[in-house]
Amino acid sequence: MITIFEKNQIPPGANGQVRRAARLLGLIGAAGELATRWGIVPWQEGAAIDAAGKALADWIAQRGGLGAAEIRDGIEQVRGYFAQFGESRFDDVGNADARIATTRAGWRRGWGEDREWLILPSVWRNEICKGRDATAIARALAEQGKLVRDSQGKHQRSERTPMGSMRVYVLKASILRTEDDER
């Protein structure tokens, strides 16, 4: 019963966390079905498995999708950082007369949808992705098209800055849009 539940209920592309939750809910549903067959509970046959399927679907919706929660939460942390500090911690690359950030995290260029942030690697690791796997978050953002890779596919790229050419993370303005915004 558990294997059939997993086969019928796990959506394609689900990560290990979703698969483990489905296995546990399948176990609960199977126990409920056995209790029904043995006359322990007055439920209709199939009710326990249906309830377990609904619980899994509700849990997936509440957690925000099929991906790893750590990555989703990390991307939300990055989005929050740029919503808060996208202007104040980043100097304007093309305007030498613009105000200078007192605690620079990098540089910014472009406007609106064309905005990009050039982020110092130490700031990416120690501030923006603090407490998280910075490489995994960079990988996920690159896969979503929100972080620009270099020509070899690396997450940092060489960019010209007011301090000369240096390797930085380049993040697009699309980081500020949520998945709901993009639908």
Side-chain angles (χ1 to χ4, degrees):
M1 278 192 264
I2 297 169
T3 303
I4 292 169
F5 178 84
E6 289 176 311
K7 182 179 177 193
N8 292 336
Q9 297 294 326
I10 297 175
N15 81 334
Q17 293 170 345
V18 173
R19 293 181 181 285
R20 286 188 296 280
R23 184 169 247 337
L24 290 172
L25 287 167
L27 173 64
I28 293 167
E33 290 302 320
L34 291 174
T36 300
R37 286 184 194 166
W38 295 334
I40 298 171
V41 294
W43 301 334
Q44 295 291 321
E45 191 171 319
I49 286 291
D50 289 347
K54 180 170 178 5
L56 179 63
D58 290 348
W59 178 77
I60 290 170
Q62 184 275 329
R63 78 187 292 272
L66 302 174
E70 294 85 1
I71 298 299
R72 185 191 67 242
D73 293 347
I75 291 172
E76 193 57 38
Q77 181 174 315
V78 172
R79 182 176 291 116
Y81 183 92
F82 282 90
Q84 184 175 7
F85 298 116
E87 298 298 312
S88 65
R89 300 274 320 272
F90 294 84
D91 290 340
D92 188 339
V93 167
N95 185 355
D97 295 327
R99 115 190 120 71
I100 303 295
T102 55
T103 309
R104 181 184 303 121
W107 298 268
R108 66 185 189 284
R109 64 182 174 205
W111 292 98
E113 293 295 312
D114 296 326
R115 166 76 83 210
E116 291 181 329
W117 289 278
L118 285 59
I119 308 156
L120 296 165
S122 62
V123 173
W124 177 259
R125 283 187 313 276
N126 300 328
E127 291 183 37
I128 297 172
C129 297
K130 185 176 185 171
R132 306 208 178 263
D133 183 341
T135 302
I137 293 170
R139 182 182 314 110
L141 287 170
E143 289 169 0
Q144 293 177 10
K146 295 177 181 180
L147 186 131
V148 183
R149 293 180 173 159
D150 75 0
S151 59
Q152 284 103 38
K154 295 181 181 176
H155 300 130
Q156 293 179 33
R157 49 185 292 126
S158 185
E159 292 283 344
R160 183 174 294 285
T161 73
M163 297 178 68
S165 184
M166 51 192 336
R167 292 196 67 78
V168 293
Y169 291 91
V170 178
L171 197 62
K172 294 181 175 184
S174 59
I175 186 60
L176 295 174
R177 289 194 307 268
T178 66
E179 289 177 17
D180 290 338
D181 295 337
E182 294 174 354
R183 287 182 191 153

